[in-house]
Amino acid sequence: MTESANELGTEKISKLIIKQAGPATIGILVMSLNMIVDTIFVGQWIGVLAIAAITVVLPIAFLISSIGMGIGIGGSSIISRALGAGNSSKAFLTFGNQVFLTVILAITFVIIGNFFSVPILNLFGAKGAILPIASEYFKVIIYGVPFLAFAMMGNPVIRAEGKPKFAMYAMMVPAVLNVVLDVVFIKFFNWGIWGAGLATSFSYMSCGLYILYFFLSSKSELKIIPKNFKLNPKIVREIVELGGVSIVRQGAISVLMIVLNYSLFKYGGEISISVYGVINRVMMFAYSPVMGVSQGFLPVAGFNIGAKKNDRVKETIKKSVLFGTLLGTIIFIGILMFKVEIIRIFTDDVTLLENTPNAMLIVFLATPIVTMQLVGSAYFQAAGKSLPALFLTLLKQGIFLIPLAYILPKYYGVEGVWWSFPIADIFSTLITIIVLKREVDKNLK
């Protein structure tokens, strides 16, 4: 076992969370900033409808790449527990199975996406004037998605090795490249939405290639060994059970986007989809610290669960929730104070400036409590308990938000879409608290 991995079972919990969550947060922040800058450039240099097009297309790309993320998170849970138990051979075999599964499945879904691009875009809300712009963007970024899927698989594995800084670098590389290429392709070459898509696709490729470099280098304990590509049914089943949680989460998000875009287009037209496009980018960036805490929680909890150190597991839960709640409160205060200024970064369009600030404030109302949901689901993933992890993962997007986003607009119009977010957060958090408390009282005495 490496010294980095061993620290997960001995170092002070608060220090470990900061050490793991810090790079994860920075990585997610930079990746989110990448999407925000992309949206700013598109909004300022192409137009409002281009924001709507990106809002429609990106969930499709992330749905495909979530296969890699699910395989990565599911496998990293096995790897963390294997390293905690001193079983390095199982960790190596798991990693080999992850690589093979990710490559085969990602390529398969990209082929499907190419053949059925128009029906898929229509399903995700590319209606009216949005469709031709979305189609042009989609046909470019689809080729970068397999690289993104590989990167999403490798990132949690790198953290499971106890090397969060390299995971952070992997997310920073494409973000910086995308910003540079956006300026070159959109501003100077005047390639419009096609140029934006090309920049995004190249950034995905750079991310995947950096992850590949890491695993081929001496920096990684885990190696890409062809003999480990032979699928082990037991390991594959465990990867699918645990990683399926993340895949289903992204699937629920994709269904949510279909419902949201349907409701937004029906009750507010193309402009409402653009409003949500801006809000969604702000959410990605603002929630990065909270998501970083939950990402940092996974390897620490997983290792100590494998090592049967229950007191350290309980402390990891408490400290992660505390840190995340504090960060969530700070985020909400920032949104409350600077909501108009934030929107002006994206666009000078009068209609967007009139409609977006209050909508964004409503969407962010429950931000201080969202960490509880993320940590609750992450705990069960770290513990290898797929069913409760799946249930808690589906609570917000699947069980509450999708029905609310469909039903409330029937009575309250577009306003109903915005209010569905904090209502879903409140109910999801309450149920997560109940489920996690029962688990702790029963199995972490």
Side-chain angles (χ1 to χ4, degrees), residues 259-276:
V259 173
L260 281 174
N261 288 338
Y262 166 81
S263 295
L264 290 169
F265 187 81
K266 181 176 180 179
Y267 297 100
E270 287 100 334
I271 193 66
S272 291
I273 296 179
S274 296
V275 168
Y276 180 68

Side-chain angles (χ1 to χ4, degrees), residues 280-299:
N280 185 251
R281 295 302 176 275
V282 177
M283 286 174 70
M284 287 179 179
F285 184 78
Y287 283 170
S288 295
V290 176
M291 292 174 66
V293 170
S294 69
Q295 291 294 317
F297 168 87
L298 266 170

Side-chain angles (χ1 to χ4, degrees), residues 294-309:
S294 69
Q295 291 294 317
F297 168 87
L298 266 170
V300 181
F303 187 98
N304 286 286
I305 289 169
K308 301 188 185 304
K309 297 181 178 181

